[in-house]
Every structure is written in C-alpha cells, then in structure tokens.
Amino acid sequence: MPVLYDEKNKIFNVYTKNFSLVFGIFADKLPILIHCGKRIKNTYNIHKMLDYKLKGGMAFAARNKEFNNEISLETVSALYPTYGNTDVRMPAISIMHNNGTMCSNFYYKSHKITDGKENLEILPSVYCEEGDNVQTLTLTLYDEPSALTLTLSYSAFYDYDIITQNVKLENAGERVKIDRIMSAAVDLPDKDFDFVHLYGNWARERQIQRTPLFNGGMTVDSKRGSSSAHHNPFFALARKNTDEFLGEVFGFSLLYSGNFTAGVEVDSIDNTRAFIGINPFNFGWTLEKGESFIAPEGVMCYSCEGFSKMSDNFQKIARQRICRGKYRDIERPVLLNNWEATYFNFNEEKLIDIAKKAKAAGVELFVLDDGWFGKRDDDKTSLGDWFVDKAKLPNGIDGLAKKINDMGLKFGLWFEPEAISPVSELYKKHPDWCLHIKGRVQNESRNEYLLDLSRDEVCDYIIEFMSDILSSANIEYIKWDMNRNMTDIGNEVLESGRQCEIAHRYMLGLYRVLDTLNKKFPNVLFEGCSGGGGRFDLGMLQYFPQIWTSDDSDAVERLYIQHGTSMLYPTSAMGAHVSAVPNHQVQRTTPIDMRGHVAMCGQFGYELDLNKLSDEEFETVKEQIKLYKKISHITHKGTMYRLLSPFEGNYTAWEFLSEDKDEIVLMIANIIKRGGRVAATRVLLKGLDENANYTVENTGEVYGGDFLMNIGFTRKPKKDFESELLIIKKVK
C-alpha cells in the first residue's frame, strides 16, 4: 500500500514505484520532512536520522523554546513551513490574525490513511478510478492560539509515480486573512540543481530554459489573471548531469489556471526550498469564523531516469486521471477551422464551399470560428451579443449545422464567453458586469473587457446563453477562447477588504461554468484556447481534453512549442493544425509534408481553405489524414521519447512507442541545410526489445532492436525543412 506508518516512531512514508516522501512527528507535535526523492522501501531506524538533524542546529540560529531549545526551524525542514517562528525562509503559508500579527505554528493533531482519493469540492483535481493503487494520507494540524486547522492531504498514485498535495485551512476562531498559501512545498538538502521552466509569449509558448540554482530566490509567476503564455505553472529541479534519459529530476506542477508563483529559495547553508501555489501578489483571502479555504492541488513527480521519465509520468496522469469525460480515451475527429481561411469575411455559401472540400479530403469536423454573431465584422464589437448575424448566416446556426451534418461532417463553433465588447448590446445593458475599478478609466485590450466571473449572476448568464445555443443546433464541438490579460481587477460587490479575492474568485467561477457545461453537454468536445496556448495548464485539462497549443502554426516554430509543451502535457491534448503558406504568423514557407508531420504529433487538423491548394497538395492532404488515423493511437496513447531537441541542434526527433511496445512512430525534422562538411546526426531509438527485429514500413528494411537503439538512423540534411515520419513495427 502506498502509505506506510511507523506508529512507534511516528514516521510516515508516502511512496510510489520510485518516489518517497518521508516525514516524522517530532515530540508528538512538529511534522518534519526527512526525505523527498528516490523510493525508500522501509523506514527502519530512519527516526535516528530525524533526531540527529534536530539536535544538530547551528549556534547562531534561533531555537524553538517549545521544544526545549533543541531545534531551530531555520536548520531543519518543516513539512509545511509557516511564518513567524524560527524559520525565517520563505513560508508555505502566512496568515494575518485579527490582532495584526502573522505568527502561526501548526502542530500534529491526528491523521488517517484511506484508500483512493477524494475530489476537491470546487477546484479541478487528479482523480482515481476503481482498481487504481492509490492511498491518501490526511494529516490534521492545529494552531491553538488562533483556532485554525490546517489539513494536508497527500495522495500517492503508485503506478503513475505521482504524489498530489491538497491544503485546506479551516477557521474556528476570530477573523483571519490568508496572505500566502502554497499548494506544494518541499525542502531538498543541497543546491546542486538546475532550475528548468517553460517561458514564452504569444505565438512562442513553452520554450525550455535551464538555469543553475544560486543562493537566494528564483521564481516564475503569472500576474496576468491566467496561467499565461509567459510562464507555465510548472518547474523542474534537475541535477547538473541530468539529461533526457539519465539523472535525477523533481517536477512540480499545479492544477490551476490563474495567477501562480513557482520557484525555489536557496538558503545560506545551501538547502533548497521548492514551492508552487497561488501567486500571493494581489491575493488575500479573509476567513470568518466557520469558513474554510481550499488551495489548488499541487502535483509532484520524481524521476531518476531523466526528463523523459518525468514527462511520461506527467503526461500519463494528465491524459488518464485529469482529463475526463467521453473524449478522454476515444479518437477525436480531424477538424478544419475556417479562421485563417476567411477571418471575418465569410457568408454561408463560402463556408459550405470550404466544408465540401474538407469532406472530400477526409476531414470529420467543420469548425466555424469568430465572426458569426452580433455585428462582428472585425474585433472591435459584439462580444457578449451571442445571437446570429443573419446577414452572414440567413439560416442561422441550426440551418448551417444541418447543411454541414448532411454532408457527413460534424459541426463546431467558436466562442469567447469570458469577454465583453464595450460596443455591444450586453455592455449597454450591464456595464457593471465587467471587471472594473470605480473612479478609474477602464483599460481595453483587443477592444474588449473581461466579464467578472467572480459574480454568480455573470456565471449564470454564461451558462444560460451557452446552454441555449448548444441546445438549438447539433453542435458537437466548442472552441472556448480567452484573449486578454486580466486588468482593472475590482468590482463594486465585494467589500474593500476582499478586493484581493477577485482574481481567485474569477477562477472558481470559471471552473463552475465549465464543470456545469461539461456535465450538461457530455457529448460536446470542448477545446480550450487563450490567444493560442496562453492557458495551457493541468487545471484546464479537467474540462478541455485538448487545448489549442499556439496561434503560431508554422511548422518550425511548432517544433519548439510542442517539444516544450511535452515536458508535462500529453500529445493528445495539443491542438496542432496544418495552415497555409507563407505562414500567417511568421511568413515562413515550409513544405506541406513538414507541416503535416509536425501537426500529426498532436491533435490533428487544418486551418486553411483547401480549395486554394494545388491538386498535388490536395492529394497530400488526403493521404495525411489517412496516415494520421492510422497512427494516432500510438502518438496519443503511447510513450513519447524526445530523441533530439530543437533547442540543442538542427534536428528534432520524437519517438512514440505504442502501449504494447510493438509499434513505433518516429518523426524526424531538420530546420536548415548547412554548408561544408557537416557531421551526420544519429537518431537512437528508445524502449525497444534489443532481441527483436523491427520492420520500417516505409521502406521494408529490417533492423534489430539493439541496432536501432545503439546505432540508429543517420541523417544529413539535403535541403531546408526536411521531415519524415516512419512507422516501425516489431516482427513477430
């Protein structure tokens, strides 16, 4: 069972196949972290290590009088560090009490060990299903002077090599205000790590950056109201020698789509404290007597087999135990989106013409993007006016959907439900429904404001109009967009002391809306989008089994974007389309083969007018769709190996190994041809049976598994933007 308890010595071991979180209760009161890392199979005599640490404090450090001055929390690792005692490092939690002070000491009260895991009440969370090897340790801590109860829940997903952490604070005393509350926090006993995170911006999301730790603080965050394209709610701590397949790495992520902070603090004696949670900037949460607060769920992963194993653990639990609903496991339709084909300039006839060609190519789902509602002829108006523009669509959405369905295609529709245009009927009627600060000029972004989803009536309005439209026609797909940062964060509903709660209340409102619509329309495939990949996080995956990875669909840029995204997100979640050339974002022209090969390593689709392709290109599209349908069970459900990185060289190589390990899809792409005598690049496969033989279906060549893993394929670029997609099968 994944949780062990040594009652005599009060030692807990929360473990998975390869990962242990071991802590003890010192003096029957204080939870102290002993070990976070490689699996410890038993805890015999580990309490002696705890005693040694506690009695070996440094002379200058302030001692805890409650423990006979034997220890200092500055030199040992509290399981969940608090502020105001002898630990003067970054706390996991800090609370302002009614008397204005901020000291808290949460001591052991009780614990329980249960099979399985409970879902969070109001937030997305990792779930378990019958038969999963999962146990949860619930640790109840108490701060007596304030009558605050802190509940820490650790769930060990044994087969996924993942430990989740939940934090709940309950108030039975006077009013308090939460200043900071992290979802996961652990101490590591040295600083011999590199900090790895995913940064970027619009059309350049999730680029990989690796930086050595130094004494002091290192954080990434979002203050934009969403998890953002600029920093993803994830980071890893990797040993200096760690690469894709060798070395030790710790991964931390968050099931949350709003403002976050994630980082480390290295103290003067080289201990490293890692943390992730809601960004404390512009955050504060008041708890009255009898109220409670639940933090977003933290997710921790440990790998002693490099980044690849860490990514595999994150990807599998995201795909199988965060995504949910009908579309979690089934093959999803190949779609064509009209946006880059028409932008706002379309009518029913033009859409039908594009859809007919899409059907002829083998496309399964036609998606009508922005411009179908209100007076939406550009991006300056009508968000919030979700009624059909009859000048463009005289037969309405239901009429268009029927015509699309009659062709044998599914029909989908674009929305931006969280936004409101200042030029709209909705704004005239409810100007107070957007986020705003009374007495200040409102800031527009993309000619729009954000609706205030911290208010129940606004959330109810979104649920109502979305339900009405989804019930009015056979709509089987929704693209849910959100295109701006959160600004002017205020409203005239909450009291002044609670204005810092709005950004988090917005996320709670959004999750309620998405949860309601998912349950009400279980047959609709919801895809997330936020100016491209600006809200690509584990929290969103609970409601959107696929997310538009980036507005930049250029094949070269997508090598970087999809490679970085795969650090923790599954390919089944990555919306990836073939678009026209020159590319609309970067004006680069790449071959249709490369565009197809890269897009097939995600959720495949098209974003162009197929009528504008040559006959040869159109035949290529038809073959691409057939190939994708043949391999998607491997690329989406198999194990991904990042063999060559675009961040490190001219070649990118991704291998996908099927669940039964009998089939391989290998995508290889180079960016430019280099002159002179350039060394050949070798592509070495992973995860094969070294004693078996494998056939390359494309060529009929047969290789041994040991050959493919140790000698591999040799490649030299003959021209710019070459790519190939090989299907390799085990000979039985």
Side-chain angles (χ1 to χ4, degrees), residues 40-93:
I40 304 296
K41 292 186 178 180
N42 64 66
T43 55
Y44 301 138
N45 289 321
I46 204 167
H47 63 281
K48 293 182 178 179
M49 177 184 173
L50 177 68
D51 291 343
Y52 173 78
K53 278 190 172 184
L54 293 174
K55 294 176 182 177
M58 298 177 67
F60 67 82
R63 305 298 182 94
N64 283 64
K65 191 170 183 180
E66 288 185 83
F67 300 100
N68 299 318
N69 294 324
E70 289 182 334
I71 67 166
S72 170
L73 286 175
E74 188 177 0
T75 58
V76 300
S77 297
L79 179 65
Y80 192 75
T82 60
Y83 178 78
N85 48 48
T86 60
D87 186 347
V88 292
R89 295 168 289 176
M90 186 70 75
I93 189 169

Side-chain angles (χ1 to χ4, degrees), residues 156-176:
F157 287 76
Y158 182 87
D159 294 320
Y160 290 93
D161 251 357
I162 291 286
I163 295 175
T164 65
Q165 181 171 346
N166 294 136
V167 180
K168 181 178 182 180
L169 187 68
E170 299 170 272
N171 183 20
E174 296 182 333
R175 170 191 284 199
V176 298

Side-chain angles (χ1 to χ4, degrees), residues 465-500:
F465 84 70
M466 289 292 295
S467 298
D468 288 346
I469 295 173
L470 285 171
S471 300
S472 70
N474 188 27
I475 300 167
E476 298 181 71
Y477 164 99
I478 290 297
K479 181 180 178 183
W480 185 294
D481 210 347
M482 196 282 280
N483 280 308
R484 59 159 290 175
N485 296 323
M486 188 181 290
T487 63
D488 308 280
I489 304 172
N491 66 30
E492 297 173 51
V493 178
L494 287 176
E495 61 186 73
S496 60
R498 289 182 176 268
Q499 291 291 303
C500 288

Side-chain angles (χ1 to χ4, degrees), residues 48 54 257 279 361 399-400 430 596 709:
K48 293 182 178 179
L54 293 174
S257 311
N279 197 333
L400 176 62
H430 294 290
M709 291 191 291

Side-chain angles (χ1 to χ4, degrees), residues 57 81 109 112 125 195 200 267 282 288-289 300 330 404 407 443 459 500 519 633 646 671-672 692 694:
K109 183 177 181 182
K112 65 178 180 178
S125 58
F195 185 87
D267 66 18
N282 197 33
E288 302 286 356
K289 184 175 183 178
M300 297 180 286
I330 67 172
I404 297 294
M407 293 181 203
N443 294 291
C459 294
C500 288
K519 290 174 178 174
H633 70 285
I671 299 174
I672 60 172
Y694 294 83

Side-chain angles (χ1 to χ4, degrees), residues 90-101:
M90 186 70 75
I93 189 169
S94 58
I95 300 162
M96 180 170 287
H97 301 282
N98 205 35
N99 61 6
T101 65

